Amino acid sequence: MRELVEHIVMGIVDDPTAVEVSEVEHARGKVVRVRVAPEDVGKVIGRNGRVARAVRILARAAARRRGRDAVMVEIEGG
């Protein structure tokens, strides 16, 4: 899941070198944390959160297809 989310986010942002993606185990499944440059946060979240929602939907669909637990995507500016 980390690779998929990283690929999507790197295609959205202006500064792909600032993208950091990590995967952490959580009680309810995996959490994919995405950190981007402060000026790219708005692009990754999108208007009314539409882009972020789409990234989350794609990650969940890919996880289900692989028979894995739930995946949550968190977006941070840094």
Side-chain angles (χ1 to χ4, degrees), residues 16-64:
T17 60
V19 174
E20 296 175 21
V21 181
S22 62
E23 203 171 62
V24 179
E25 286 293 329
H26 191 269
R28 293 182 287 165
K30 289 190 180 192
V31 176
V32 178
R33 290 195 177 130
V34 180
R35 173 171 251 135
V36 297
E39 57 272 3
D40 286 330
V41 173
K43 290 181 180 182
V44 176
I45 293 174
R47 180 172 283 157
N48 295 322
R50 290 181 183 157
V51 175
R53 190 176 314 123
V55 171
R56 289 180 177 118
I57 289 169
L58 288 171
R60 271 185 267 156
R64 284 187 188 138

mmCIF file of all heavy atoms in Angstrom, residues 16-64:
data_model
loop_
_atom_site.group_PDB
_atom_site.id
_atom_site.type_symbol
_atom_site.label_atom_id
_atom_site.label_comp_id
_atom_site.label_asym_id
_atom_site.label_seq_id
_atom_site.Cartn_x
_atom_site.Cartn_y
_atom_site.Cartn_z
ATOM 1 N N PRO A 16 8.220 16.486 -5.513
ATOM 2 C CA PRO A 16 8.169 15.065 -5.154
ATOM 3 C C PRO A 16 9.321 14.615 -4.265
ATOM 4 O O PRO A 16 9.206 13.595 -3.586
ATOM 5 C CB PRO A 16 8.201 14.329 -6.490
ATOM 6 C CG PRO A 16 8.574 15.323 -7.504
ATOM 7 C CD PRO A 16 8.354 16.686 -6.943
ATOM 8 N N THR A 17 10.413 15.385 -4.208
ATOM 9 C CA THR A 17 11.524 14.994 -3.339
ATOM 10 C C THR A 17 11.184 15.180 -1.869
ATOM 11 O O THR A 17 11.836 14.588 -1.008
ATOM 12 C CB THR A 17 12.789 15.809 -3.677
ATOM 13 O OG1 THR A 17 12.518 17.199 -3.493
ATOM 14 C CG2 THR A 17 13.233 15.551 -5.104
ATOM 15 N N ALA A 18 10.175 15.987 -1.560
ATOM 16 C CA ALA A 18 9.785 16.227 -0.171
ATOM 17 C C ALA A 18 8.763 15.216 0.335
ATOM 18 O O ALA A 18 8.390 15.246 1.500
ATOM 19 C CB ALA A 18 9.226 17.643 -0.024
ATOM 20 N N VAL A 19 8.314 14.316 -0.517
ATOM 21 C CA VAL A 19 7.299 13.338 -0.124
ATOM 22 C C VAL A 19 7.945 12.227 0.699
ATOM 23 O O VAL A 19 8.925 11.618 0.287
ATOM 24 C CB VAL A 19 6.598 12.732 -1.365
ATOM 25 C CG1 VAL A 19 5.648 11.621 -0.968
ATOM 26 C CG2 VAL A 19 5.873 13.818 -2.136
ATOM 27 N N GLU A 20 7.382 11.983 1.873
ATOM 28 C CA GLU A 20 7.817 10.889 2.733
ATOM 29 C C GLU A 20 6.593 10.053 3.073
ATOM 30 O O GLU A 20 5.604 10.580 3.566
ATOM 31 C CB GLU A 20 8.436 11.419 4.031
ATOM 32 C CG GLU A 20 9.685 12.219 3.840
ATOM 33 C CD GLU A 20 10.184 12.814 5.149
ATOM 34 O OE1 GLU A 20 9.813 12.293 6.222
ATOM 35 O OE2 GLU A 20 10.915 13.798 5.084
ATOM 36 N N VAL A 21 6.671 8.766 2.822
ATOM 37 C CA VAL A 21 5.555 7.874 3.104
ATOM 38 C C VAL A 21 6.051 6.761 4.014
ATOM 39 O O VAL A 21 7.062 6.124 3.736
ATOM 40 C CB VAL A 21 4.972 7.276 1.793
ATOM 41 C CG1 VAL A 21 3.804 6.365 2.097
ATOM 42 C CG2 VAL A 21 4.554 8.378 0.845
ATOM 43 N N SER A 22 5.329 6.542 5.103
ATOM 44 C CA SER A 22 5.688 5.469 6.029
ATOM 45 C C SER A 22 4.440 4.651 6.345
ATOM 46 O O SER A 22 3.323 5.135 6.220
ATOM 47 C CB SER A 22 6.300 6.038 7.307
ATOM 48 O OG SER A 22 5.375 6.860 7.970
ATOM 49 N N GLU A 23 4.675 3.422 6.743
ATOM 50 C CA GLU A 23 3.577 2.505 7.051
ATOM 51 C C GLU A 23 3.736 2.041 8.490
ATOM 52 O O GLU A 23 4.807 1.592 8.892
ATOM 53 C CB GLU A 23 3.639 1.326 6.092
ATOM 54 C CG GLU A 23 2.341 0.610 5.896
ATOM 55 C CD GLU A 23 2.448 -0.399 4.766
ATOM 56 O OE1 GLU A 23 3.248 -1.333 4.885
ATOM 57 O OE2 GLU A 23 1.738 -0.233 3.780
ATOM 58 N N VAL A 24 2.671 2.150 9.277
ATOM 59 C CA VAL A 24 2.697 1.809 10.691
ATOM 60 C C VAL A 24 1.539 0.866 10.996
ATOM 61 O O VAL A 24 0.432 1.059 10.475
ATOM 62 C CB VAL A 24 2.575 3.092 11.550
ATOM 63 C CG1 VAL A 24 2.583 2.763 13.021
ATOM 64 C CG2 VAL A 24 3.660 4.079 11.202
ATOM 65 N N GLU A 25 1.792 -0.133 11.814
ATOM 66 C CA GLU A 25 0.714 -1.027 12.247
ATOM 67 C C GLU A 25 -0.105 -0.333 13.323
ATOM 68 O O GLU A 25 0.436 0.332 14.202
ATOM 69 C CB GLU A 25 1.293 -2.326 12.811
ATOM 70 C CG GLU A 25 1.842 -3.245 11.753
ATOM 71 C CD GLU A 25 0.783 -3.821 10.836
ATOM 72 O OE1 GLU A 25 -0.372 -4.020 11.266
ATOM 73 O OE2 GLU A 25 1.108 -4.057 9.661
ATOM 74 N N HIS A 26 -1.411 -0.481 13.250
ATOM 75 C CA HIS A 26 -2.324 0.107 14.218
ATOM 76 C C HIS A 26 -3.292 -0.983 14.641
ATOM 77 O O HIS A 26 -3.396 -2.018 13.980
ATOM 78 C CB HIS A 26 -3.068 1.282 13.565
ATOM 79 C CG HIS A 26 -3.831 2.125 14.511
ATOM 80 N ND1 HIS A 26 -5.141 1.882 14.813
ATOM 81 C CD2 HIS A 26 -3.467 3.199 15.243
ATOM 82 C CE1 HIS A 26 -5.556 2.775 15.675
ATOM 83 N NE2 HIS A 26 -4.554 3.596 15.963
ATOM 84 N N ALA A 27 -4.001 -0.779 15.731
ATOM 85 C CA ALA A 27 -4.935 -1.789 16.230
ATOM 86 C C ALA A 27 -6.009 -2.135 15.204
ATOM 87 O O ALA A 27 -6.465 -3.277 15.128
ATOM 88 C CB ALA A 27 -5.588 -1.302 17.520
ATOM 89 N N ARG A 28 -6.414 -1.159 14.396
ATOM 90 C CA ARG A 28 -7.470 -1.398 13.408
ATOM 91 C C ARG A 28 -6.944 -1.670 12.006
ATOM 92 O O ARG A 28 -7.710 -1.691 11.047
ATOM 93 C CB ARG A 28 -8.410 -0.205 13.363
ATOM 94 C CG ARG A 28 -9.194 -0.044 14.656
ATOM 95 C CD ARG A 28 -10.136 1.110 14.556
ATOM 96 N NE ARG A 28 -9.357 2.348 14.628
ATOM 97 C CZ ARG A 28 -9.833 3.540 14.296
ATOM 98 N NH1 ARG A 28 -11.040 3.671 13.840
ATOM 99 N NH2 ARG A 28 -9.066 4.602 14.413
ATOM 100 N N GLY A 29 -5.664 -1.866 11.844
ATOM 101 C CA GLY A 29 -5.091 -2.134 10.525
ATOM 102 C C GLY A 29 -3.842 -1.316 10.316
ATOM 103 O O GLY A 29 -3.213 -0.849 11.258
ATOM 104 N N LYS A 30 -3.474 -1.117 9.063
ATOM 105 C CA LYS A 30 -2.276 -0.339 8.740
ATOM 106 C C LYS A 30 -2.626 1.127 8.561
ATOM 107 O O LYS A 30 -3.689 1.465 8.058
ATOM 108 C CB LYS A 30 -1.632 -0.853 7.461
ATOM 109 C CG LYS A 30 -0.989 -2.186 7.627
ATOM 110 C CD LYS A 30 -0.166 -2.535 6.437
ATOM 111 C CE LYS A 30 0.439 -3.906 6.694
ATOM 112 N NZ LYS A 30 1.463 -4.236 5.762
ATOM 113 N N VAL A 31 -1.681 1.974 8.946
ATOM 114 C CA VAL A 31 -1.805 3.407 8.733
ATOM 115 C C VAL A 31 -0.670 3.819 7.813
ATOM 116 O O VAL A 31 0.496 3.556 8.098
ATOM 117 C CB VAL A 31 -1.720 4.192 10.062
ATOM 118 C CG1 VAL A 31 -1.764 5.686 9.801
ATOM 119 C CG2 VAL A 31 -2.833 3.776 11.007
ATOM 120 N N VAL A 32 -1.013 4.437 6.714
ATOM 121 C CA VAL A 32 -0.020 4.963 5.783
ATOM 122 C C VAL A 32 0.041 6.467 6.024
ATOM 123 O O VAL A 32 -0.946 7.173 5.811
ATOM 124 C CB VAL A 32 -0.387 4.660 4.317
ATOM 125 C CG1 VAL A 32 0.635 5.256 3.369
ATOM 126 C CG2 VAL A 32 -0.513 3.162 4.095
ATOM 127 N N ARG A 33 1.193 6.932 6.499
ATOM 128 C CA ARG A 33 1.371 8.353 6.793
ATOM 129 C C ARG A 33 2.123 9.006 5.648
ATOM 130 O O ARG A 33 3.186 8.552 5.250
ATOM 131 C CB ARG A 33 2.144 8.536 8.088
ATOM 132 C CG ARG A 33 1.340 8.133 9.279
ATOM 133 C CD ARG A 33 1.942 8.635 10.562
ATOM 134 N NE ARG A 33 1.056 8.255 11.650
ATOM 135 C CZ ARG A 33 1.457 7.648 12.745
ATOM 136 N NH1 ARG A 33 2.726 7.363 12.914
ATOM 137 N NH2 ARG A 33 0.591 7.332 13.679
ATOM 138 N N VAL A 34 1.546 10.085 5.146
ATOM 139 C CA VAL A 34 2.125 10.811 4.021
ATOM 140 C C VAL A 34 2.512 12.202 4.504
ATOM 141 O O VAL A 34 1.685 12.930 5.040
ATOM 142 C CB VAL A 34 1.116 10.934 2.857
ATOM 143 C CG1 VAL A 34 1.724 11.698 1.700
ATOM 144 C CG2 VAL A 34 0.633 9.575 2.420
ATOM 145 N N ARG A 35 3.765 12.551 4.328
ATOM 146 C CA ARG A 35 4.239 13.897 4.681
ATOM 147 C C ARG A 35 4.711 14.558 3.390
ATOM 148 O O ARG A 35 5.486 13.980 2.640
ATOM 149 C CB ARG A 35 5.367 13.810 5.692
ATOM 150 C CG ARG A 35 6.006 15.151 5.951
ATOM 151 C CD ARG A 35 6.970 15.111 7.102
ATOM 152 N NE ARG A 35 6.292 15.858 8.157
ATOM 153 C CZ ARG A 35 6.201 15.504 9.411
ATOM 154 N NH1 ARG A 35 6.755 14.404 9.814
ATOM 155 N NH2 ARG A 35 5.588 16.252 10.280
ATOM 156 N N VAL A 36 4.196 15.772 3.150
ATOM 157 C CA VAL A 36 4.554 16.524 1.951
ATOM 158 C C VAL A 36 5.010 17.918 2.363
ATOM 159 O O VAL A 36 4.843 18.329 3.514
ATOM 160 C CB VAL A 36 3.369 16.626 0.958
ATOM 161 C CG1 VAL A 36 2.966 15.259 0.450
ATOM 162 C CG2 VAL A 36 2.189 17.326 1.576
ATOM 163 N N ALA A 37 5.568 18.654 1.426
ATOM 164 C CA ALA A 37 5.992 20.033 1.683
ATOM 165 C C ALA A 37 4.755 20.872 2.035
ATOM 166 O O ALA A 37 3.660 20.610 1.523
ATOM 167 C CB ALA A 37 6.681 20.602 0.451
ATOM 168 N N PRO A 38 4.905 21.866 2.906
ATOM 169 C CA PRO A 38 3.758 22.688 3.322
ATOM 170 C C PRO A 38 2.979 23.301 2.154
ATOM 171 O O PRO A 38 1.744 23.393 2.209
ATOM 172 C CB PRO A 38 4.391 23.786 4.182
ATOM 173 C CG PRO A 38 5.665 23.212 4.668
ATOM 174 C CD PRO A 38 6.137 22.277 3.582
ATOM 175 N N GLU A 39 3.670 23.683 1.100
ATOM 176 C CA GLU A 39 2.964 24.297 -0.030
ATOM 177 C C GLU A 39 2.198 23.276 -0.878
ATOM 178 O O GLU A 39 1.382 23.660 -1.711
ATOM 179 C CB GLU A 39 3.926 25.102 -0.908
ATOM 180 C CG GLU A 39 5.087 24.315 -1.456
ATOM 181 C CD GLU A 39 6.301 24.272 -0.541
ATOM 182 O OE1 GLU A 39 6.260 24.810 0.579
ATOM 183 O OE2 GLU A 39 7.302 23.672 -0.946
ATOM 184 N N ASP A 40 2.437 21.990 -0.676
ATOM 185 C CA ASP A 40 1.741 20.944 -1.440
ATOM 186 C C ASP A 40 0.573 20.306 -0.688
ATOM 187 O O ASP A 40 -0.134 19.482 -1.261
ATOM 188 C CB ASP A 40 2.736 19.849 -1.844
ATOM 189 C CG ASP A 40 3.660 20.288 -2.955
ATOM 190 O OD1 ASP A 40 3.236 21.117 -3.787
ATOM 191 O OD2 ASP A 40 4.801 19.803 -3.001
ATOM 192 N N VAL A 41 0.375 20.669 0.561
ATOM 193 C CA VAL A 41 -0.692 20.050 1.356
ATOM 194 C C VAL A 41 -2.055 20.263 0.695
ATOM 195 O O VAL A 41 -2.860 19.342 0.587
ATOM 196 C CB VAL A 41 -0.693 20.584 2.807
ATOM 197 C CG1 VAL A 41 -1.903 20.083 3.571
ATOM 198 C CG2 VAL A 41 0.578 20.183 3.510
ATOM 199 N N GLY A 42 -2.313 21.474 0.245
ATOM 200 C CA GLY A 42 -3.593 21.774 -0.392
ATOM 201 C C GLY A 42 -3.845 20.950 -1.640
ATOM 202 O O GLY A 42 -4.976 20.539 -1.909
ATOM 203 N N LYS A 43 -2.804 20.666 -2.398
ATOM 204 C CA LYS A 43 -2.954 19.851 -3.604
ATOM 205 C C LYS A 43 -3.292 18.414 -3.279
ATOM 206 O O LYS A 43 -4.072 17.777 -3.975
ATOM 207 C CB LYS A 43 -1.673 19.898 -4.441
ATOM 208 C CG LYS A 43 -1.444 21.225 -5.068
ATOM 209 C CD LYS A 43 -0.208 21.211 -5.897
ATOM 210 C CE LYS A 43 -0.055 22.593 -6.503
ATOM 211 N NZ LYS A 43 1.069 22.703 -7.354
ATOM 212 N N VAL A 44 -2.682 17.898 -2.210
ATOM 213 C CA VAL A 44 -2.924 16.505 -1.841
ATOM 214 C C VAL A 44 -4.293 16.346 -1.196
ATOM 215 O O VAL A 44 -4.965 15.342 -1.402
ATOM 216 C CB VAL A 44 -1.804 15.994 -0.900
ATOM 217 C CG1 VAL A 44 -2.086 14.582 -0.433
ATOM 218 C CG2 VAL A 44 -0.464 16.041 -1.614
ATOM 219 N N ILE A 45 -4.732 17.347 -0.455
ATOM 220 C CA ILE A 45 -6.051 17.274 0.169
ATOM 221 C C ILE A 45 -7.136 17.578 -0.859
ATOM 222 O O ILE A 45 -8.148 16.908 -0.910
ATOM 223 C CB ILE A 45 -6.135 18.224 1.373
ATOM 224 C CG1 ILE A 45 -5.200 17.717 2.469
ATOM 225 C CG2 ILE A 45 -7.563 18.324 1.889
ATOM 226 C CD1 ILE A 45 -5.080 18.624 3.655
ATOM 227 N N GLY A 46 -6.924 18.588 -1.681
ATOM 228 C CA GLY A 46 -7.882 18.927 -2.724
ATOM 229 C C GLY A 46 -9.039 19.743 -2.197
ATOM 230 O O GLY A 46 -9.217 19.923 -0.994
ATOM 231 N N ARG A 47 -9.841 20.231 -3.104
ATOM 232 C CA ARG A 47 -11.010 21.030 -2.735
ATOM 233 C C ARG A 47 -12.018 20.143 -2.004
ATOM 234 O O ARG A 47 -12.423 19.104 -2.519
ATOM 235 C CB ARG A 47 -11.640 21.633 -3.983
ATOM 236 C CG ARG A 47 -12.868 22.478 -3.679
ATOM 237 C CD ARG A 47 -13.343 23.200 -4.880
ATOM 238 N NE ARG A 47 -12.437 24.349 -5.074
ATOM 239 C CZ ARG A 47 -12.248 24.964 -6.229
ATOM 240 N NH1 ARG A 47 -12.860 24.552 -7.303
ATOM 241 N NH2 ARG A 47 -11.431 25.993 -6.317
ATOM 242 N N ASN A 48 -12.363 20.586 -0.810
ATOM 243 C CA ASN A 48 -13.290 19.842 0.063
ATOM 244 C C ASN A 48 -12.817 18.426 0.349
ATOM 245 O O ASN A 48 -13.623 17.535 0.627
ATOM 246 C CB ASN A 48 -14.700 19.798 -0.531
ATOM 247 C CG ASN A 48 -15.338 21.163 -0.611
ATOM 248 O OD1 ASN A 48 -15.156 21.977 0.295
ATOM 249 N ND2 ASN A 48 -16.049 21.433 -1.687
ATOM 250 N N GLY A 49 -11.514 18.175 0.261
ATOM 251 C CA GLY A 49 -10.958 16.864 0.595
ATOM 252 C C GLY A 49 -11.167 15.797 -0.459
ATOM 253 O O GLY A 49 -10.986 14.609 -0.188
ATOM 254 N N ARG A 50 -11.495 16.197 -1.656
ATOM 255 C CA ARG A 50 -11.799 15.217 -2.704
ATOM 256 C C ARG A 50 -10.603 14.371 -3.118
ATOM 257 O O ARG A 50 -10.732 13.168 -3.335
ATOM 258 C CB ARG A 50 -12.381 15.916 -3.929
ATOM 259 C CG ARG A 50 -13.766 16.437 -3.679
ATOM 260 C CD ARG A 50 -14.326 17.099 -4.899
ATOM 261 N NE ARG A 50 -15.638 17.648 -4.586
ATOM 262 C CZ ARG A 50 -16.196 18.624 -5.244
ATOM 263 N NH1 ARG A 50 -15.573 19.162 -6.270
ATOM 264 N NH2 ARG A 50 -17.373 19.065 -4.905
ATOM 265 N N VAL A 51 -9.441 14.978 -3.249
ATOM 266 C CA VAL A 51 -8.244 14.234 -3.665
ATOM 267 C C VAL A 51 -7.844 13.262 -2.562
ATOM 268 O O VAL A 51 -7.563 12.088 -2.818
ATOM 269 C CB VAL A 51 -7.085 15.188 -4.027
ATOM 270 C CG1 VAL A 51 -5.828 14.414 -4.326
ATOM 271 C CG2 VAL A 51 -7.472 16.064 -5.208
ATOM 272 N N ALA A 52 -7.834 13.738 -1.316
ATOM 273 C CA ALA A 52 -7.489 12.868 -0.186
ATOM 274 C C ALA A 52 -8.469 11.699 -0.095
ATOM 275 O O ALA A 52 -8.068 10.550 0.139
ATOM 276 C CB ALA A 52 -7.492 13.664 1.111
ATOM 277 N N ARG A 53 -9.741 11.961 -0.293
ATOM 278 C CA ARG A 53 -10.756 10.901 -0.255
ATOM 279 C C ARG A 53 -10.506 9.878 -1.362
ATOM 280 O O ARG A 53 -10.596 8.667 -1.136
ATOM 281 C CB ARG A 53 -12.146 11.507 -0.408
ATOM 282 C CG ARG A 53 -13.265 10.532 -0.137
ATOM 283 C CD ARG A 53 -14.654 11.179 -0.191
ATOM 284 N NE ARG A 53 -14.703 12.438 0.539
ATOM 285 C CZ ARG A 53 -15.066 13.592 -0.016
ATOM 286 N NH1 ARG A 53 -15.416 13.663 -1.281
ATOM 287 N NH2 ARG A 53 -15.098 14.694 0.712
ATOM 288 N N ALA A 54 -10.130 10.340 -2.538
ATOM 289 C CA ALA A 54 -9.855 9.427 -3.653
ATOM 290 C C ALA A 54 -8.633 8.557 -3.367
ATOM 291 O O ALA A 54 -8.654 7.352 -3.643
ATOM 292 C CB ALA A 54 -9.643 10.221 -4.940
ATOM 293 N N VAL A 55 -7.592 9.141 -2.780
ATOM 294 C CA VAL A 55 -6.393 8.366 -2.429
ATOM 295 C C VAL A 55 -6.760 7.304 -1.403
ATOM 296 O O VAL A 55 -6.324 6.148 -1.499
ATOM 297 C CB VAL A 55 -5.271 9.298 -1.903
ATOM 298 C CG1 VAL A 55 -4.123 8.491 -1.327
ATOM 299 C CG2 VAL A 55 -4.781 10.214 -3.008
ATOM 300 N N ARG A 56 -7.564 7.665 -0.420
ATOM 301 C CA ARG A 56 -7.994 6.700 0.612
ATOM 302 C C ARG A 56 -8.816 5.571 0.007
ATOM 303 O O ARG A 56 -8.648 4.405 0.361
ATOM 304 C CB ARG A 56 -8.778 7.423 1.695
ATOM 305 C CG ARG A 56 -7.903 8.301 2.549
ATOM 306 C CD ARG A 56 -8.696 9.031 3.626
ATOM 307 N NE ARG A 56 -7.791 9.803 4.449
ATOM 308 C CZ ARG A 56 -7.840 11.126 4.564
ATOM 309 N NH1 ARG A 56 -8.760 11.824 3.926
ATOM 310 N NH2 ARG A 56 -6.970 11.749 5.335
ATOM 311 N N ILE A 57 -9.700 5.903 -0.905
ATOM 312 C CA ILE A 57 -10.539 4.883 -1.552
ATOM 313 C C ILE A 57 -9.673 3.913 -2.355
ATOM 314 O O ILE A 57 -9.868 2.690 -2.297
ATOM 315 C CB ILE A 57 -11.617 5.543 -2.440
ATOM 316 C CG1 ILE A 57 -12.675 6.208 -1.559
ATOM 317 C CG2 ILE A 57 -12.251 4.526 -3.383
ATOM 318 C CD1 ILE A 57 -13.635 7.095 -2.327
ATOM 319 N N LEU A 58 -8.708 4.442 -3.099
ATOM 320 C CA LEU A 58 -7.824 3.578 -3.889
ATOM 321 C C LEU A 58 -6.991 2.668 -2.991
ATOM 322 O O LEU A 58 -6.810 1.480 -3.294
ATOM 323 C CB LEU A 58 -6.908 4.416 -4.770
ATOM 324 C CG LEU A 58 -7.574 5.098 -5.962
ATOM 325 C CD1 LEU A 58 -6.608 6.077 -6.615
ATOM 326 C CD2 LEU A 58 -8.039 4.058 -6.962
ATOM 327 N N ALA A 59 -6.494 3.201 -1.887
ATOM 328 C CA ALA A 59 -5.694 2.389 -0.957
ATOM 329 C C ALA A 59 -6.540 1.277 -0.348
ATOM 330 O O ALA A 59 -6.101 0.129 -0.241
ATOM 331 C CB ALA A 59 -5.092 3.273 0.137
ATOM 332 N N ARG A 60 -7.767 1.610 0.072
ATOM 333 C CA ARG A 60 -8.655 0.577 0.637
ATOM 334 C C ARG A 60 -9.013 -0.485 -0.387
ATOM 335 O O ARG A 60 -9.035 -1.678 -0.076
ATOM 336 C CB ARG A 60 -9.930 1.219 1.181
ATOM 337 C CG ARG A 60 -9.790 1.632 2.627
ATOM 338 C CD ARG A 60 -11.087 2.137 3.151
ATOM 339 N NE ARG A 60 -11.014 3.582 2.923
ATOM 340 C CZ ARG A 60 -12.027 4.402 2.794
ATOM 341 N NH1 ARG A 60 -13.246 3.958 2.876
ATOM 342 N NH2 ARG A 60 -11.856 5.679 2.594
ATOM 343 N N ALA A 61 -9.280 -0.070 -1.617
ATOM 344 C CA ALA A 61 -9.627 -1.031 -2.666
ATOM 345 C C ALA A 61 -8.458 -1.963 -2.964
ATOM 346 O O ALA A 61 -8.644 -3.176 -3.120
ATOM 347 C CB ALA A 61 -10.061 -0.295 -3.931
ATOM 348 N N ALA A 62 -7.260 -1.417 -3.023
ATOM 349 C CA ALA A 62 -6.084 -2.244 -3.275
ATOM 350 C C ALA A 62 -5.834 -3.207 -2.123
ATOM 351 O O ALA A 62 -5.461 -4.368 -2.337
ATOM 352 C CB ALA A 62 -4.855 -1.354 -3.489
ATOM 353 N N ALA A 63 -6.062 -2.761 -0.902
ATOM 354 C CA ALA A 63 -5.880 -3.635 0.264
ATOM 355 C C ALA A 63 -6.892 -4.780 0.240
ATOM 356 O O ALA A 63 -6.542 -5.939 0.493
ATOM 357 C CB ALA A 63 -6.023 -2.832 1.550
ATOM 358 N N ARG A 64 -8.119 -4.468 -0.059
ATOM 359 C CA ARG A 64 -9.150 -5.517 -0.127
ATOM 360 C C ARG A 64 -8.854 -6.517 -1.234
ATOM 361 O O ARG A 64 -9.050 -7.709 -1.075
ATOM 362 C CB ARG A 64 -10.510 -4.889 -0.359
ATOM 363 C CG ARG A 64 -11.067 -4.252 0.870
ATOM 364 C CD ARG A 64 -12.478 -3.780 0.656
ATOM 365 N NE ARG A 64 -12.909 -2.999 1.789
ATOM 366 C CZ ARG A 64 -13.594 -1.879 1.703
ATOM 367 N NH1 ARG A 64 -13.949 -1.406 0.521
ATOM 368 N NH2 ARG A 64 -13.935 -1.220 2.777
#
